[in-house]
Every structure is written in structure tokens, then in C-alpha cells.
Amino acid sequence: MTNLPPPAEELRFLDAELRQLDVRRATLLRRRAWLVHTLQATAARQPALGPGTAPVGPPAGTGAAARRPEATAPGVQNVLLVLGGVLLTIAAIAFTLVSWGHLGIAGRALVLGALTVGALGAPVALLRRGLRSTAEAVAALGTALTVLDAYALHEVAFPGTDGAGYTATASAVLAALWAVYGVRLGLRHPLPLAVATAHLPLLLGAIAVGAGPYTLTAVSLATAAGGTTVALRAALLPVRIVAVTGALGTGAAGVLSAGWLCWSASGPGPAARAAALLLVAAALALVAGRFVPRPEISVGAAFAAGLCVVAGAGGVLRVTVPGEWTVPGCLACAIALLATERTRLHHPLRQGLVRASAAVQGFAVLWTLPLVAGCVLGPAVRGAHPWSGTPRDFRDAVFAGLPRPPYAGTAPLVLAVVAAVLVVAGHRTARRPAVTVAAPVLGWAAALVLPVVLQLPYAAGLVAHAVVAAAALFFAVRFGRADKRPSPPSLTALLLALVTSVGLALVSLASEPATIAVLGTLTVLFAAAGLRPGPAPFAAPAALCHATALACAIGASAGRPPHHTALLVLVVPAVAALIASRTGGSRTGGSRTGGSRATVPVEVAGAAAGLLALALAAPEPPMLALVLSLCGAVAAATALRPERRAAGWAAAALFLLATWVRLAAWDVAAPEAYTLPVTGPALIVGLLRRRRDAAVSSWTAYGSGLAVTLVPSLLAAWDDQHWLRPLALGVAALAVTLAGARHRLQAPLVLGPGVLALVALHELTPYLAQVVGALPRWAPPAVAGLVLLVLGATYEQRLRDARRLREALGRLG
């Protein structure tokens, strides 16, 4: 072979060949099974047919396969044996419970003794003949009869004994008898049955002597220890399965009981006794995990042992220390479990203990979650009542109108300790990226809730949260990458700084001086962070948002009305346009740098501030016109940048809106006197520009000039009751339409017909109202249905006409 295929192609070829071989092998195996069955059937019929008679084979194909037996001979045998054993057992139970009283003492003993001895002795002869399945079935009947013998013995010989005590003794005797019987005869079922029954004597005996909850818990753990020993030393799989199931059940019951006793104890003594039981359970789990051959089971056992140790220690701490120190005490025990990582303990056990420690630390962090959530979300309530007065302390300022979580005094300690553990263990774990994100978050949460827990004065709490925001920004700037996107830790720090700043700004609304001071500080902090390319896409817009809030706060503090404050807010869009002009054109190797990545967020923040200014100025039309003009000026300045030429459309629209609002504010009855002097020069300038550059669109050349006059005149004509203005406006719109059609210009062909149609509709409105009033009520629905039918019938033609009209308009200048 001189031309070898690629490895991928050769592998595909080999897989296809192997699949074909598997299919062929399956076919041959089916044929072989049919042949074997045929030969067996032929050998069975051969004596009946006589010598020399040739057997007639079944037809090949599907008929032969259909006559194959659906159940195997061993399966049929097992079904029959099991069914027979069950029926005999039911009959024996019925005889014992129902017909027992018809016989005397001798008869009862003779019948049950004969049945039991016969059922237990028959398997010996059956095993000698090789009938193991039958022997198993008969032996199962015998074991069931031994239970009936124990019941009959209690009813006849010991009728006054305690039921629990007698059952404990009987279960112990039966377990020993079945174990010896199964070992001597080599049967399968007696040993698992003996192991399952052996879990009962200790517990029933403790109940019989009236043991307390601590003794019952200890007995459950002892039973679990015995089951664990049997599971580790047994060779038969059924015995191991039964022993493991029993050990898990009794062990779980003992652990849950010990945990409940420990955490519900009223004093150190009872709690210590229950904690000792939990320690015994932990030791049992560790021993079992050490000798289990499967590592995942060892890890699970060590995990349960670690939780038992921490639960016992926490239960003792609950009744010996103040309530708020219970969780830190459990956390200390969990951290102590990490010391096993440096011991010579079995590796799966160390891994399970470390996981138990991590789980407890996670629960401790969840315990602090209500306090952290209150510190983050609580300040939002202040937004509904700004400048309502300085609170007594910082906790009252944060939790205004919210319930305060109990036992939260040690929450900062818990968060700080878990963060420190993550930092120390971060370099030794495979999940280092997640640790580098989780540790700063926990540290931030600790610093955030500390002023609330300490109930610092209001001003001191504001300063503390400002320091937290500044530290988060410093971390983002210090560990950020200047020429790339922010790393996960840097991005996390930026988000934390933003969350802190929002909460701090809301908390500061309680006091007027605090509001201005905090917003000014936040603006400076984020503006300084925005100078670095890495955090700029987040920090610069945040600085603009805080500056917008600062402008509103200054206006309100000065006692100015909202429409005057709008002029102060307009400073933010102007600054945003200036910043975007400095960063928008930067490129490095064809990829956007940090400055260019901040351009769009900065422009969005500036646009939002402009919208806020418009909303503030909306109640006063003269001020709204001025604000519109200033926004148009900012948009026009933005349009000077090559990549933002489209902002010129927004600038033109803003200027037009400013003009119309100003005319409406002046109550101008004849807007043409103010718009025509603008329209004439604008059209002349557009004409000259199109002569120099034929590629200029008609919208750019004539759109704004025509709209300056047509739209205000249309608005005035809509409320005009005379005929002169609608007539003049209609003639002007007709002239614009004809001029657009003559020179094939898009803007005149859209504006002129639109204005002309609206004027015509205005003039026909009274007559249409009269016609509608004269029509019967069924006429409008009928006409609407007819129109819909016509439109549906000619839908495709209308779409084709619309496409042709769009193409014709697109070919215009």
C-alpha cells in the first residue's frame, strides 16, 4: 500500500467493518440456537418415530423462530418452586392462626414439630440428589415454620411474658439457628435472613427494659457497628447487601436521634452525652470508610463523620456560649477538620473530611445571607423618603422599615474567616479561578455588614462604606489588565464597587449634606478609576450616573424647580460627549482598546442623562425648547466625529423639536412667519450642496428645510377652522410633491404627499362624520369585512406593488 488514508478515515472504515462483523455474528448465533433446539427436539422424538425414520425439520425463517420457547427451563423451575413454597407457607400460617385451637397440646406439638423437622430435614436429601433449587424452596418453608413455632411457643408456654422482650430473645435464637443451618447446608437464603434478623434483638431488648432515648440511640449505633462488621467481612454478596442496608438504616436513625438530642438539650450535660454519641458515630463511619475498597464510599463515610463531629460540637456550644457564637464555633470545628489534610490518614478519608469542612463553611455563609441581603437591599427604602432626617445610627439608616436578623453580631467574623480560609487554601486547589472570585466577595460582604453590626454613627457608617467602594475600585485597577478585558477578579471587584456605591448613595438620602457629599465623592472615585483602560467601560458610566444624581441633588438643595435643574443635568451629556470624542477613535492593531470599549457605555450614560433633563423640563415648554436646543448642540458636536455621523439626524430632529416647542410656547398663530425664513435658506444651501455633490441624499439636502415649515403648519392647520391655511398648505404640499416627482427626489415625494393627505383628511373629517352617523350600524362591519375579503384576495398583488414602490423610492435621489 503506497497511499495510506488519513487516520480519521481509516478509523471510520474500521468501525464500519466491526459493525458489519457484529451484525453477522448475531445472525450466526441466532441460527446456531435454532439448530441446537432442532437437534434437541429431534433427539426427544427419535424413539417415537422408530429407527430409520427421518425427522421433518421445521421450516426455515420466521416460523422456526416463532416456535422457540419464551421461558427457559430454570426460569419455569424457579417460578414453580417459589409459588409452591409461598402457598405452603400461607397454608401453615392459616393452620397456626385459625385451626390451632381444634387440637390438643400433644397434637399441636406433633403437627408443628413434624412439619418443621420435615421441612428443615428434607433439604439434606434433596441436596444429595443435586436438587438445590428445590432444597432452597423447602428450606425457606422451614425457616417460615420456625417463626410460627416461636409464635406458638409464646401463645402456649409463655403467654404472660412481655412481647418486646420475647421477640428480642426469639429473634436472637432464630438468627443464630438460621446462620448455623445455612452454613452447615450451604444454602443461600438463611444467611441473609439471619443477618437481617440479627439487627432486631438489641433494639427490642432495650425497648423491653424501658431504656431512655440516649440508650436507644447507643443501641442503634451498636447495631450499626455490628452490621458494618458483617458487611466488611462477609464473602457472599446477598449477605453484604443486607448488612449494608441494615447498618445504614440503624446508623442513620442513631445519628438523627443523637443530633436531635444534642441540639434540643437544655444543659451542657445532656448535650455532651449526645455529642459523645455523635463522635461514636463519626468514629464508626471513619473505620468503615478505611476498610471499604471503593474510594467513593470512603469519601462519603468521611463526609458523614465530619458532619457528625461538627454537629456534636455545635450542640454543646449552643448551650454553653451565647447564641450568636454558635455558628462561629461550628465554623471553627470545620476549619479544624482541614488539619487532617496534612496527616497520614487514608486519602479518601481526608478528602471526605475536607468536603465536610467545606459544606459547614457554606452553611455558615448562608447563615449570614439575611444580614448581607438586608444591607444591600435595605437602603432602597430610603428612596421613597429622601432627606427625612439623620438616623440615630447606621443600622437604622440601612434597615429602615426592614426586620433585623437575630444573632447577627458575629456575621462579619464568619465571612472574614471563610474568606481567609479560601485565600490560604486557594493555591492548593484546582478551582483557583473560582476561589479568586469567591474570596473577594466574602471579604466585601464582611466589610459591608461590619458598620451595621457595630452600630456606628451615621456619618462613620457612610465613611466606612465609601472606603469599601474605594478599596474595591483600587483592587480592580491594581489587578486589572490595561490592554485586555478585565480579569474575573477585577471584574468582580468592579461589580462590588458598583453595588456598594448604589447602596451608599441610597443610604445618604437620609440627610441633605450627606447626599451631596457622598455623590460628589463617588463621582470623583469612579472618574479616577475610569482613567484606566481596564475598568473604564464600567467606571466611567458609573461616574456619569453619580454626577447626574449629584446635579439633581444640588438643584434640589438650592431650592430650584425641576426645569431649572434640567440645565444643570445637561452638563453630564456634554461631558460624556467630550469623553467619547477623546476615546472613540483609538484603535490598536485593529482591535478595540480599553478607551474605545468605554465609548458606547459613556454615550449611553450621557443619553440617559439627556433624557432625564428632557423629563425634568417637560412641564415648562420654554425651558423644554432650550433643553432640546442644547441637546441638539451636543448631538451635533458628536456628529463631527467620523464614526458618529448618524448623530446628525438626531441633532436635526432635536433642533426642529426645539423650534416647534418654542413656537407652541409663544402661542404663535402663524408659525410660517418664523419657519419660512429658515426654510428658504435651508433649501438654497441644500440645492448648492447637491450641485457640488450629486451623491448627497435629498433627505440631507432638503429634508430638514421642508420639515421646518410643513410640520408646524400642519399642526396649526389641524386646529384651524378657516379655509385659507389648509388651502395654502395643500397647494404648497402639492408643489413639493410635483417638484419631487419632476426631479425624482425621495424626501419631497414622502413629505409632500404625507402633508397633502393629512390636510385632505382634515378637510373631509366633518363630512365623514356625517356619513358615518347616517349609516346603519351593520354597515361599518359589513364594509370592513368586504374590505378584508378584497385585501385577502389580492394580497400577493399588493405585496408586489409595495415592493415595486419601495424600489422606485430607493432609486430616487
Side-chain angles (χ1 to χ4, degrees), residues 502-544:
V502 172
L504 179 59
L506 291 174
V507 171
S508 67
L509 291 176
S511 172
E512 179 180 344
T515 303
I516 297 175
V518 166
L519 291 176
T521 302
L522 293 176
T523 302
V524 173
L525 284 176
F526 281 95
L531 298 177
R532 297 294 297 270
F538 298 90
L544 293 175

Short mmCIF file of all heavy atoms in Angstrom, two decimals, residues 502-544:
data_model
loop_
_atom_site.label_atom_id
_atom_site.label_comp_id
_atom_site.label_asym_id
_atom_site.label_seq_id
_atom_site.Cartn_x
_atom_site.Cartn_y
_atom_site.Cartn_z
N VAL A 502 -24.12 52.18 44.83
CA VAL A 502 -25.57 52.38 44.75
C VAL A 502 -26.20 52.36 46.14
O VAL A 502 -27.01 53.23 46.49
CB VAL A 502 -26.20 51.31 43.84
CG1 VAL A 502 -27.73 51.40 43.89
CG2 VAL A 502 -25.72 51.49 42.41
N GLY A 503 -25.82 51.37 46.96
CA GLY A 503 -26.34 51.32 48.32
C GLY A 503 -25.93 52.54 49.14
O GLY A 503 -26.73 53.09 49.90
N LEU A 504 -24.68 52.97 48.97
CA LEU A 504 -24.22 54.15 49.71
C LEU A 504 -24.98 55.40 49.30
O LEU A 504 -25.35 56.22 50.14
CB LEU A 504 -22.72 54.31 49.46
CG LEU A 504 -22.04 55.51 50.14
CD1 LEU A 504 -22.19 55.44 51.64
CD2 LEU A 504 -20.56 55.56 49.74
N ALA A 505 -25.22 55.55 48.00
CA ALA A 505 -25.98 56.72 47.55
C ALA A 505 -27.41 56.71 48.09
O ALA A 505 -27.95 57.75 48.48
CB ALA A 505 -26.00 56.75 46.02
N LEU A 506 -28.02 55.53 48.16
CA LEU A 506 -29.38 55.45 48.69
C LEU A 506 -29.41 55.72 50.19
O LEU A 506 -30.32 56.38 50.70
CB LEU A 506 -29.97 54.08 48.38
CG LEU A 506 -30.26 53.78 46.90
CD1 LEU A 506 -30.69 52.34 46.71
CD2 LEU A 506 -31.33 54.72 46.36
N VAL A 507 -28.43 55.20 50.93
CA VAL A 507 -28.38 55.45 52.36
C VAL A 507 -28.17 56.93 52.65
O VAL A 507 -28.71 57.49 53.62
CB VAL A 507 -27.27 54.60 53.01
CG1 VAL A 507 -27.06 54.99 54.47
CG2 VAL A 507 -27.64 53.13 52.94
N SER A 508 -27.39 57.59 51.80
CA SER A 508 -27.10 59.01 52.03
C SER A 508 -28.31 59.90 51.82
O SER A 508 -28.27 61.09 52.17
CB SER A 508 -25.98 59.46 51.10
OG SER A 508 -26.39 59.44 49.75
N LEU A 509 -29.40 59.38 51.25
CA LEU A 509 -30.59 60.20 51.02
C LEU A 509 -31.28 60.60 52.32
O LEU A 509 -32.19 61.42 52.30
CB LEU A 509 -31.59 59.44 50.14
CG LEU A 509 -31.18 59.23 48.68
CD1 LEU A 509 -32.21 58.40 47.96
CD2 LEU A 509 -30.99 60.56 47.98
N ALA A 510 -30.86 60.02 53.43
CA ALA A 510 -31.47 60.41 54.70
C ALA A 510 -31.15 61.84 55.09
O ALA A 510 -31.91 62.50 55.79
CB ALA A 510 -31.03 59.44 55.81
N SER A 511 -30.00 62.35 54.64
CA SER A 511 -29.56 63.70 55.03
C SER A 511 -29.13 64.46 53.78
O SER A 511 -28.47 63.91 52.90
CB SER A 511 -28.40 63.61 56.02
OG SER A 511 -27.84 64.87 56.28
N GLU A 512 -29.50 65.73 53.71
CA GLU A 512 -29.16 66.55 52.55
C GLU A 512 -27.66 66.75 52.40
O GLU A 512 -27.11 66.51 51.32
CB GLU A 512 -29.88 67.90 52.64
CG GLU A 512 -29.58 68.84 51.49
CD GLU A 512 -30.33 70.16 51.63
OE1 GLU A 512 -31.29 70.21 52.43
OE2 GLU A 512 -29.96 71.12 50.94
N PRO A 513 -26.92 67.18 53.42
CA PRO A 513 -25.47 67.32 53.25
C PRO A 513 -24.78 66.00 52.93
O PRO A 513 -23.84 65.97 52.13
CB PRO A 513 -25.00 67.89 54.60
CG PRO A 513 -26.21 68.46 55.23
CD PRO A 513 -27.35 67.63 54.77
N ALA A 514 -25.25 64.91 53.55
CA ALA A 514 -24.64 63.61 53.27
C ALA A 514 -24.86 63.20 51.82
O ALA A 514 -23.96 62.63 51.19
CB ALA A 514 -25.23 62.55 54.20
N THR A 515 -26.02 63.50 51.28
CA THR A 515 -26.29 63.15 49.89
C THR A 515 -25.31 63.84 48.95
O THR A 515 -24.71 63.20 48.07
CB THR A 515 -27.74 63.53 49.52
OG1 THR A 515 -28.64 62.86 50.41
CG2 THR A 515 -28.05 63.14 48.10
N ILE A 516 -25.14 65.13 49.10
CA ILE A 516 -24.24 65.87 48.21
C ILE A 516 -22.80 65.42 48.39
O ILE A 516 -22.05 65.22 47.42
CB ILE A 516 -24.39 67.38 48.45
CG1 ILE A 516 -25.83 67.82 48.10
CG2 ILE A 516 -23.39 68.17 47.64
CD1 ILE A 516 -26.13 69.26 48.40
N ALA A 517 -22.39 65.22 49.64
CA ALA A 517 -21.01 64.80 49.88
C ALA A 517 -20.74 63.41 49.33
O ALA A 517 -19.69 63.16 48.69
CB ALA A 517 -20.73 64.84 51.38
N VAL A 518 -21.66 62.48 49.54
CA VAL A 518 -21.45 61.11 49.07
C VAL A 518 -21.46 61.05 47.55
O VAL A 518 -20.60 60.40 46.93
CB VAL A 518 -22.53 60.19 49.67
CG1 VAL A 518 -22.56 58.85 48.95
CG2 VAL A 518 -22.26 59.97 51.15
N LEU A 519 -22.41 61.71 46.92
CA LEU A 519 -22.47 61.67 45.46
C LEU A 519 -21.24 62.34 44.84
O LEU A 519 -20.70 61.86 43.83
CB LEU A 519 -23.75 62.35 44.96
CG LEU A 519 -25.05 61.60 45.27
CD1 LEU A 519 -26.25 62.42 44.83
CD2 LEU A 519 -25.06 60.24 44.57
N GLY A 520 -20.77 63.41 45.42
CA GLY A 520 -19.54 64.03 44.92
C GLY A 520 -18.35 63.11 45.08
O GLY A 520 -17.51 62.99 44.16
N THR A 521 -18.25 62.46 46.22
CA THR A 521 -17.13 61.55 46.44
C THR A 521 -17.17 60.38 45.46
O THR A 521 -16.14 59.99 44.88
CB THR A 521 -17.16 61.03 47.89
OG1 THR A 521 -17.11 62.14 48.78
CG2 THR A 521 -16.00 60.10 48.15
N LEU A 522 -18.35 59.81 45.26
CA LEU A 522 -18.47 58.69 44.33
C LEU A 522 -18.15 59.10 42.91
O LEU A 522 -17.53 58.34 42.14
CB LEU A 522 -19.88 58.10 44.41
CG LEU A 522 -20.24 57.40 45.73
CD1 LEU A 522 -21.69 56.94 45.71
CD2 LEU A 522 -19.32 56.22 45.97
N THR A 523 -18.57 60.30 42.53
CA THR A 523 -18.25 60.77 41.19
C THR A 523 -16.74 60.88 40.99
O THR A 523 -16.20 60.44 39.96
CB THR A 523 -18.91 62.14 40.95
OG1 THR A 523 -20.33 62.02 41.12
CG2 THR A 523 -18.63 62.64 39.56
N VAL A 524 -16.06 61.42 41.97
CA VAL A 524 -14.60 61.56 41.85
C VAL A 524 -13.93 60.20 41.83
O VAL A 524 -13.01 59.94 41.03
CB VAL A 524 -14.07 62.43 43.01
CG1 VAL A 524 -12.55 62.44 43.02
CG2 VAL A 524 -14.62 63.85 42.90
N LEU A 525 -14.37 59.27 42.70
CA LEU A 525 -13.75 57.95 42.76
C LEU A 525 -13.89 57.21 41.43
O LEU A 525 -12.90 56.68 40.88
CB LEU A 525 -14.39 57.14 43.88
CG LEU A 525 -13.97 57.48 45.32
CD1 LEU A 525 -14.76 56.64 46.31
CD2 LEU A 525 -12.48 57.24 45.51
N PHE A 526 -15.08 57.16 40.90
CA PHE A 526 -15.28 56.42 39.66
C PHE A 526 -14.66 57.14 38.47
O PHE A 526 -14.23 56.49 37.51
CB PHE A 526 -16.77 56.17 39.43
CG PHE A 526 -17.33 55.04 40.25
CD1 PHE A 526 -17.93 55.29 41.47
CD2 PHE A 526 -17.23 53.75 39.82
CE1 PHE A 526 -18.44 54.26 42.24
CE2 PHE A 526 -17.74 52.70 40.58
CZ PHE A 526 -18.35 52.96 41.79
N ALA A 527 -14.62 58.46 38.51
CA ALA A 527 -13.95 59.18 37.43
C ALA A 527 -12.46 58.88 37.44
O ALA A 527 -11.84 58.69 36.39
CB ALA A 527 -14.20 60.67 37.58
N ALA A 528 -11.85 58.80 38.63
CA ALA A 528 -10.43 58.46 38.71
C ALA A 528 -10.18 57.04 38.22
O ALA A 528 -9.20 56.77 37.51
CB ALA A 528 -9.94 58.63 40.14
N ALA A 529 -11.07 56.11 38.58
CA ALA A 529 -10.91 54.73 38.11
C ALA A 529 -11.15 54.63 36.61
O ALA A 529 -10.56 53.79 35.93
CB ALA A 529 -11.86 53.81 38.86
N GLY A 530 -12.01 55.49 36.07
CA GLY A 530 -12.28 55.45 34.64
C GLY A 530 -11.13 55.93 33.78
O GLY A 530 -11.17 55.76 32.55
N LEU A 531 -10.10 56.52 34.37
CA LEU A 531 -8.93 56.93 33.60
C LEU A 531 -8.10 55.75 33.15
O LEU A 531 -7.31 55.88 32.21
CB LEU A 531 -8.06 57.90 34.43
CG LEU A 531 -8.75 59.22 34.83
CD1 LEU A 531 -7.81 60.03 35.71
CD2 LEU A 531 -9.16 60.01 33.59
N ARG A 532 -8.25 54.59 33.82
CA ARG A 532 -7.53 53.39 33.41
C ARG A 532 -8.33 52.64 32.37
O ARG A 532 -9.56 52.51 32.49
CB ARG A 532 -7.27 52.51 34.63
CG ARG A 532 -6.38 53.15 35.69
CD ARG A 532 -4.96 53.38 35.17
NE ARG A 532 -4.32 52.13 34.86
CZ ARG A 532 -3.61 51.42 35.73
NH1 ARG A 532 -3.45 51.88 36.98
NH2 ARG A 532 -3.04 50.29 35.37
N PRO A 533 -7.68 52.12 31.32
CA PRO A 533 -8.45 51.46 30.25
C PRO A 533 -9.23 50.23 30.71
O PRO A 533 -10.30 49.96 30.19
CB PRO A 533 -7.37 51.08 29.23
CG PRO A 533 -6.21 51.96 29.54
CD PRO A 533 -6.24 52.22 31.01
N GLY A 534 -8.68 49.46 31.67
CA GLY A 534 -9.35 48.23 32.07
C GLY A 534 -10.72 48.47 32.66
O GLY A 534 -11.73 47.98 32.15
N PRO A 535 -10.84 49.22 33.77
CA PRO A 535 -12.16 49.44 34.37
C PRO A 535 -12.97 50.55 33.72
O PRO A 535 -14.08 50.82 34.18
CB PRO A 535 -11.81 49.80 35.82
CG PRO A 535 -10.47 50.42 35.75
CD PRO A 535 -9.74 49.72 34.63
N ALA A 536 -12.45 51.21 32.71
CA ALA A 536 -13.15 52.35 32.12
C ALA A 536 -14.55 52.04 31.62
O ALA A 536 -15.47 52.83 31.83
CB ALA A 536 -12.30 52.95 30.99
N PRO A 537 -14.81 50.88 30.95
CA PRO A 537 -16.18 50.62 30.49
C PRO A 537 -17.22 50.56 31.59
O PRO A 537 -18.41 50.70 31.32
CB PRO A 537 -16.04 49.26 29.78
CG PRO A 537 -14.62 49.17 29.38
CD PRO A 537 -13.86 49.86 30.46
N PHE A 538 -16.79 50.33 32.83
CA PHE A 538 -17.73 50.29 33.95
C PHE A 538 -17.65 51.55 34.81
O PHE A 538 -18.67 52.06 35.26
CB PHE A 538 -17.44 49.06 34.83
CG PHE A 538 -17.61 47.75 34.11
CD1 PHE A 538 -16.55 47.17 33.44
CD2 PHE A 538 -18.83 47.11 34.10
CE1 PHE A 538 -16.70 45.97 32.77
CE2 PHE A 538 -18.99 45.90 33.44
CZ PHE A 538 -17.92 45.33 32.77
N ALA A 539 -16.42 52.00 35.06
CA ALA A 539 -16.24 53.12 35.98
C ALA A 539 -16.70 54.44 35.37
O ALA A 539 -17.30 55.27 36.07
CB ALA A 539 -14.78 53.20 36.41
N ALA A 540 -16.40 54.68 34.10
CA ALA A 540 -16.76 55.96 33.50
C ALA A 540 -18.28 56.16 33.45
O ALA A 540 -18.78 57.22 33.85
CB ALA A 540 -16.14 56.06 32.11
N PRO A 541 -19.08 55.20 32.98
CA PRO A 541 -20.54 55.40 33.03
C PRO A 541 -21.05 55.56 34.45
O PRO A 541 -21.99 56.34 34.69
CB PRO A 541 -21.10 54.14 32.37
CG PRO A 541 -19.99 53.58 31.57
CD PRO A 541 -18.74 53.94 32.29
N ALA A 542 -20.46 54.82 35.40
CA ALA A 542 -20.90 54.98 36.79
C ALA A 542 -20.62 56.38 37.29
O ALA A 542 -21.44 56.98 38.02
CB ALA A 542 -20.19 53.95 37.67
N ALA A 543 -19.46 56.95 36.91
CA ALA A 543 -19.15 58.32 37.32
C ALA A 543 -20.17 59.30 36.75
O ALA A 543 -20.62 60.24 37.43
CB ALA A 543 -17.74 58.69 36.87
N LEU A 544 -20.57 59.09 35.49
CA LEU A 544 -21.57 59.97 34.88
C LEU A 544 -22.93 59.83 35.57
O LEU A 544 -23.65 60.82 35.76
CB LEU A 544 -21.68 59.66 33.39
CG LEU A 544 -20.44 59.99 32.55
CD1 LEU A 544 -20.64 59.51 31.12
CD2 LEU A 544 -20.15 61.47 32.58
#
